[in-house]
């Protein structure tokens, strides 16, 4: 009977959600934002997201942590919980386009008004203002302005409530997302029959970027000193002023743009580097910006790794201990206001912050499952206590920027696995030896080296008990059985289930004492059936128990037949029952009990080793005795006279030919 369980559902915009249901630790320098989740108990749940961001949305669901008990399929009911998400989309039909510096008259009644404005690249600031606002002809501006789209897990929509008629109602957005439409919703706060009229005005403040020229970089060596590298700064001829175009405008310079080359190494493995160099010149006048292209739709399933290293010689000789190289990592638009704030927050994104100083020359940031977008790396020299120190100071910062499927290939205790679900590719780590975590770095439940050696020795040396049934089989001239036991002993690491199943099969058939031809046919057919069934599902209970029960039925049938034919219990000797069959049956029953109901993930190494020993011991006890007419080790004897001993299985007579 399946019980009601709590299902946890995660939602995220732009990339798969980073979930951690087991509470394991992440690698050092990893920044993980909390995920938006909903818990439900086998019922319907709905989430209403108004004005969602355009693009890909990801949903992930999981059940509570399962029991560590290893259960055989077929002995316990298999419970399947179906999760079926449905999406209902309601589109806005009438959307007005708000052009920069052009007032757009609007009238609000009971329904909101929807606007959109396109934010071009290199936009430093966006100002939205409501002018001439009036409610039913009187002064006042009962309007709520919502700017931006809703995202999960974090929602950075900006809400402006305009109520006072004495001051201008405006909203200032620094570093809005570049090269995309921005949604604006205006809703009346007055009554249902009160009209509100106003004019919406959008003002864009553009900046002029200095773009590093590729030809100038070819003339400079990466090993040049910091003084030589200062020639790369404006107004040197190595920069192109692209700000004179109408697209960017003629405002002041706001950033130094280092062109970045994207090099796809493998599936979900990308290397980013500045063109023809690995270092970036950082100064205090304006931020140095690098754009990382992660908008292909196939990059959100890996981990973005950013490693920075400041040149030690310029730092120690030119910069005091209070000087910092501040670094911000943002999506959609770069952070440009280092002189006003150091929180790395743009209009709709909370960025990741790093810093370099004389005491910390290196910094590293790991972002698992980055959002599908253009990412920006902004660097600027900051002197909080004495700004004049930064005016003539420059620092070379070397960058190592990678997108990898798994960090360090999951380390020595894990394996990186690429998974594809509904056309989306993402990576994860499969850990072993008790290690856990996003990159198999959590050693809270890890096995020590001594425990791993002990487990390996137990699983390996426990198979040596098969030497007992091998020796008895050769002693009693049961060569087929001896070969099966030898196979199980040597190849248990690779084919444990097949070797164990076939060992049980041949032992039971040998106890049935069938005719040689029939016995060998059944041995071969049973081995093929085992191989086929275990290939389909090696954890299935009936895949192994089914053939063994069939062999047991054959053995019982033959024993009953001999009891009726001889009118005496079979086997006839009570010593055989007391000293061989009962101990062997007891060991086999205990082995089956351990195999089906006592194994867990924690004690697997010990219980499975006991299973090996009990299986080998029961086979040694249950093997039938040798025939009275067969000498011990008869199968290994050599006859120099070239005579052949033949046995008539029907008449049980021996002749020499």
């Amino acid at each position: 009977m399946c019980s009601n369980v709590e299902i946890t559902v995660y939602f995220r915009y732009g990339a798969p959600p980073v979930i951690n249901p087991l509470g394991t630790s992440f690698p050092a320098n990893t920044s993980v934002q909390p995920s938006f989740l909903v818990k439900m108990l086998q019922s319907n749940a709905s989430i209403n997201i108004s004005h969602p961001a355009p693009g890909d949305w990801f949903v992930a669901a999981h059940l509570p942590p399962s029991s560590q008990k290893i259960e055989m399929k077929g002995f316990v009911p298999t419970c399947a919980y179906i999760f079926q998400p449905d999406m209902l989309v309601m589109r806005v039909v009438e959307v007005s386009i708000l052009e920069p510096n052009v007032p757009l008259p609007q009238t609000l009644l009971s329904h909101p008004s929807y606007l959109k404005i396109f934010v071009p690249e290199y936009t430093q600031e966006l100002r939205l203002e409501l002018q001439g606002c009036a409610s039913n002809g009187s002064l006042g501006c009962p309007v709520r302005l919502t700017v931006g789209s809703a995202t999960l897990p974090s929602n950075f929509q900006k809400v402006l409530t305009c109520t006072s008629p004495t001051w201008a109602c405006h909203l200032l957005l620094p570093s809005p997302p570049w090269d995309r439409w921005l949604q604006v919703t205006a809703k009346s706060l007055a009554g249902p029959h009160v009209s509100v009229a106003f004019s919406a005005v959008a003002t864009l403040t553009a900046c002029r970027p200095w773009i590093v020229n590729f030809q100038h970089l070819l003339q400079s060596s990466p090993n040049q000193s910091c003084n030589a590298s200062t020639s790369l700064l404006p107004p040197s001829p190595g920069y192109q002023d692209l700000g004179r175009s109408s697209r960017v405008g003629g405002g002041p310079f706001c950033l130094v743009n280092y062109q970045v080359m994207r090099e796809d190494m493998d599936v979900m493995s990308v290397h980013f580097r500045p063109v023809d160099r690995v270092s970036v010149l950082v100064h205090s006048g304006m931020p140095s910006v690098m754009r990382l292209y992660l908008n292909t739709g196939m990059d959100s399933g890996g981990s973005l790794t950013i490693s920075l290293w400041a040149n030690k010689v310029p730092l120690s000789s030119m910069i005091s201990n209070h000087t910092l190289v501040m670094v911000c990592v943002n999506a959609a638009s770069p952070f440009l206001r280092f002189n006003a704030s150091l929180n790395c927050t743009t209009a709709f994104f909370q960025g990741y912050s790093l810093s370099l100083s004389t005491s910390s020359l290196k910094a590293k940031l790991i972002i698992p499952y980055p959002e599908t977008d253009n990412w920006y790396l902004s660097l600027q020299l900051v002197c909080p206590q004495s700004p004049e120190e930064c005016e003539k100071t420059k620092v070379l910062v070397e960058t190592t920027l990678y997108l990898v499927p798994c960090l360090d290939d999951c380390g020595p205790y894990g394996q990186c696995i690429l998974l594809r679900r509904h056309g989306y590719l993402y990576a994860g780590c499969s850990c072993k030896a008790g290690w856990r975590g996003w990159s198999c770095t959590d050693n809270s439940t890890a096995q020590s080296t001594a425990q791993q050696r002990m487990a390996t020795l137990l699983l390996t040396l426990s198979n040596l008990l098969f030497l007992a049934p091998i020796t008895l089989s050769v002693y009693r001239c049961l060569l087929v059985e001896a070969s099966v036991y030898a196979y199980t002993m040597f190849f248990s690491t690779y084919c444990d289930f097949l070797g164990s199943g076939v060992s049980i099969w041949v032992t039971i058939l040998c106890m049935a004492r069938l005719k040689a031809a029939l016995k060998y046919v059944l041995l071969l057919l049973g081995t093929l059936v085992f191989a086929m069934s275990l290939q389909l599902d090696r954890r299935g209970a009936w895949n192994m128990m089914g053939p063994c029960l069939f062999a047991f039925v054959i053995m019982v049938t033959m024993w009953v037949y001999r009891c009726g034919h001889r009118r005496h219990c079979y086997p006839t000797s009570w010593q055989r029952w007391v000293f061989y069959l009962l101990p062997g049956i007891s060991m086999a029953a205990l082995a089956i009990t351990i195999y089906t109901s006592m194994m867990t993930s924690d004690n697997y190494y010990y219980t499975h080793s006991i299973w090996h020993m009990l299986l080998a011991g029961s086979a040694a006890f249950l093997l039938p005795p040798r025939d009275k007419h067969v000498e011990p080790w008869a199968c290994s004897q050599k006859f120099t006279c070239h005579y052949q001993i033949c046995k008539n299985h029907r008449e049980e007579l021996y002749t020499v030919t």
Side-chain angles (χ1 to χ4, degrees):
M1 186 66 181
C2 297
S3 60
N4 295 336
V5 297
E6 188 178 62
I7 302 175
T8 307
V9 186
Y10 298 84
F11 297 85
R12 188 186 178 192
Y13 165 75
V18 180
I19 62 177
N20 187 19
L22 300 180
T24 58
S25 63
F26 286 84
N29 305 312
T30 301
S31 181
V32 180
Q33 295 183 353
S35 299
F36 179 83
L37 59 91
V38 174
K39 293 186 177 182
M40 50 189 298
L41 187 64
Q42 284 188 297
S43 60
N44 296 329
S46 62
I47 297 178
N48 185 17
I49 303 176
S50 300
H51 313 299
D56 296 327
W57 285 75
F58 293 82
V59 180
H62 68 78
L63 297 173
S66 60
S67 173
Q68 296 296 321
K69 185 178 180 180
I70 301 177
E71 298 176 339
M72 295 296 298
K73 295 181 181 179
F75 284 174
V76 293
T78 302
C79 297
Y81 298 89
I82 300 176
F83 173 72
Q84 181 177 355
D86 295 325
M87 183 178 65
L88 178 62
V89 179
M90 299 181 62
R91 300 180 182 273
V92 177
V93 178
E94 296 182 0
V95 180
S96 302
I97 297 179
L98 182 60
E99 298 182 2
N101 301 319
V102 178
L104 181 64
Q106 295 289 312
T107 302
L108 300 179
L109 289 173
S110 57
H111 298 285
S113 178
Y114 299 100
L115 315 174
K116 66 177 182 179
I117 179 174
F118 184 78
V119 180
E121 192 177 9
Y122 302 116
T123 298
Q124 188 175 8
E125 194 174 71
L126 169 62
R127 177 188 174 93
L128 293 175
E129 184 177 357
L130 302 185
Q131 299 177 352
C133 190
S135 176
N136 278 354
S138 61
L139 294 178
C141 196
V143 177
R144 176 179 294 151
L145 207 64
T146 304
V147 184
S149 303
T151 59
L152 295 178
S154 300
N155 188 5
F156 290 95
Q157 285 181 308
K158 297 298 186 293
V159 179
L160 175 64
T161 302
C162 303
T163 56
S164 175
T166 58
W167 51 275
C169 186
H170 67 276
L171 181 65
L172 198 62
L173 299 176
S175 299
W178 291 355
D179 276 338
R180 66 191 62 188
W181 291 95
L182 189 62
Q183 300 180 17
V184 180
T185 303
K187 184 178 181 180
S188 174
L189 299 179
H193 302 290
V194 179
S195 64
V196 179
F198 63 91
S199 295
V201 180
T203 304
L204 298 176
T205 302
C207 66
R208 301 165 58 190
W210 285 108
I211 299 180
V212 178
N213 193 356
F214 178 74
Q215 286 80 9
H216 188 276
L217 290 176
L218 292 178
Q219 300 173 2
S220 61
S221 172
N223 297 325
Q224 287 178 333
S225 64
C226 184
N227 293 331
S229 300
T230 58
S231 61
L232 296 178
L233 292 176
S236 69
Y239 285 81
Q240 295 176 347
D241 182 7
L242 300 184
R244 296 174 182 171
S245 64
S246 59
R247 180 189 179 195
V248 179
F253 297 107
C254 64
L255 59 92
V256 179
N257 189 359
Y258 281 84
Q259 297 179 350
V260 176
M261 178 183 299
R262 173 189 169 112
E263 184 179 0
D264 291 274
M265 311 294 292
D266 203 343
V267 178
M268 208 182 299
S269 180
V270 183
H271 181 205
F272 300 96
R273 60 183 180 87
V275 176
D276 195 50
R277 62 193 294 125
V278 295
S279 59
V280 175
L281 188 63
V282 182
H283 60 103
S284 62
M286 65 187 72
S288 301
V289 177
M290 303 169 63
R291 179 167 60 177
L292 311 180
Y293 297 89
L294 293 174
N295 56 356
T296 63
M298 300 295 292
D299 303 327
S300 60
S303 296
L304 179 62
T305 303
I306 299 175
S307 299
L308 306 175
W309 178 75
N311 195 320
K312 186 175 181 180
V313 175
L315 274 176
S316 60
S317 61
M318 303 176 62
I319 299 179
S320 64
N321 295 331
H322 304 291
T323 304
L324 299 176
V325 176
M326 294 301 301
V327 183
C328 290
V329 182
N330 296 75
S333 61
F335 181 75
L336 304 175
R337 305 177 63 188
F338 286 95
N339 296 328
S341 174
L342 300 178
N343 57 6
C344 295
T345 302
T346 57
F348 303 103
F349 190 85
Q350 175 58 55
Y352 305 90
S353 61
L354 297 171
S355 63
L356 299 172
S357 63
T358 54
S359 60
S360 178
L361 298 177
K362 296 182 180 180
K364 186 176 183 180
L365 175 65
I366 301 171
I367 304 176
Y369 293 171
E371 295 179 9
T372 300
D373 210 329
N374 287 327
W375 285 74
Y376 295 88
L377 180 67
S378 306
L379 306 93
Q380 186 168 338
L381 201 61
V382 177
C383 301
Q385 298 185 1
S386 54
E388 61 277 0
E389 292 184 4
C390 294
E391 295 180 359
K392 298 182 180 181
T393 304
K394 284 84 180 176
V395 178
L396 278 176
V397 177
E398 296 186 4
T399 62
T400 303
L401 312 172
Y402 280 99
L403 177 71
V404 294
C406 301
L407 297 177
D408 298 328
D409 289 332
C410 301
Y413 298 101
Q415 180 183 5
C416 185
I417 299 177
L418 295 179
L419 303 174
R420 183 181 294 274
R421 293 292 186 273
H422 305 289
Y424 289 96
L425 188 67
Y426 60 98
C429 289
S430 177
C431 307
K432 58 184 179 181
W435 289 76
R436 305 189 304 169
W438 189 263
S439 300
C440 301
T441 55
D442 188 345
N443 61 351
S444 58
T445 60
Q447 297 177 352
S448 63
T449 305
Q451 290 176 328
Q452 296 181 42
R453 291 176 180 174
M454 178 62 67
T456 304
L457 290 176
L458 283 176
L459 291 174
T460 304
L461 299 181
S462 59
N463 289 299
L464 294 179
L465 267 72
F466 277 97
L467 289 174
I470 292 173
T471 304
L472 289 176
S473 300
V474 176
Y475 178 80
R476 297 168 185 176
C477 204
L478 302 173
L479 297 183
V480 176
E481 289 78 357
S483 62
V484 172
Y485 299 145
Y487 173 86
T488 305
M489 181 179 67
F490 284 106
F491 300 103
S492 175
T493 305
Y494 307 102
C495 302
D496 184 49
F497 290 89
L498 178 61
S500 301
V502 177
S503 297
I504 299 173
W505 172 261
V506 299
T507 302
I508 298 176
L509 289 183
C510 186
M511 294 171 63
R513 285 187 175 274
L514 301 172
K515 292 183 179 181
L518 179 59
K519 172 185 173 182
Y520 296 138
V521 169
L522 290 177
L523 290 179
L524 179 59
L525 290 178
T527 303
L528 295 177
V529 170
F530 267 108
M532 178 188 65
S533 60
L534 294 177
Q535 178 68 24
L536 296 176
D537 186 6
R538 68 173 188 170
R539 291 289 182 183
W542 293 108
N543 290 352
M544 179 175 290
M545 300 300 295
C548 295
L549 289 178
F550 179 72
F552 182 77
V553 170
I554 294 177
M555 184 197 72
V556 172
T557 303
M558 295 302 300
W559 283 18
V560 171
Y561 169 77
R562 290 190 177 93
C563 289
H565 182 70
R566 300 180 181 182
R567 298 185 182 277
H568 196 280
C569 182
Y570 183 86
T572 58
S573 173
W574 66 269
Q575 293 91 343
R576 180 69 185 170
W577 282 96
V578 173
F579 297 110
Y580 294 96
L581 294 182
L582 291 181
I585 294 174
S586 300
M587 297 177 68
L590 181 58
I592 294 175
T593 303
I594 293 176
Y595 182 78
T596 56
S597 60
M598 297 180 62
M599 286 189 182
T600 64
S601 300
D602 296 330
N603 65 7
Y604 175 80
Y605 303 104
Y606 311 105
T607 54
H608 200 74
S609 300
I610 297 175
W611 153 262
H612 287 166
M613 294 184 286
L614 292 176
L615 181 63
S618 62
F621 277 99
L622 295 177
L623 280 175
R626 63 180 175 85
D627 200 340
K628 296 181 180 180
H629 302 285
V630 178
E631 296 293 332
W633 314 102
C635 55
S636 62
Q637 294 180 1
K638 297 181 180 180
F639 303 96
T640 57
C641 297
H642 301 286
Y643 285 99
Q644 181 180 5
I645 295 181
C646 298
K647 179 179 180 181
N648 190 322
H649 292 276
R650 176 175 297 181
E651 300 178 359
E652 296 186 356
L653 299 176
Y654 289 84
T655 60
V656 178
T657 59

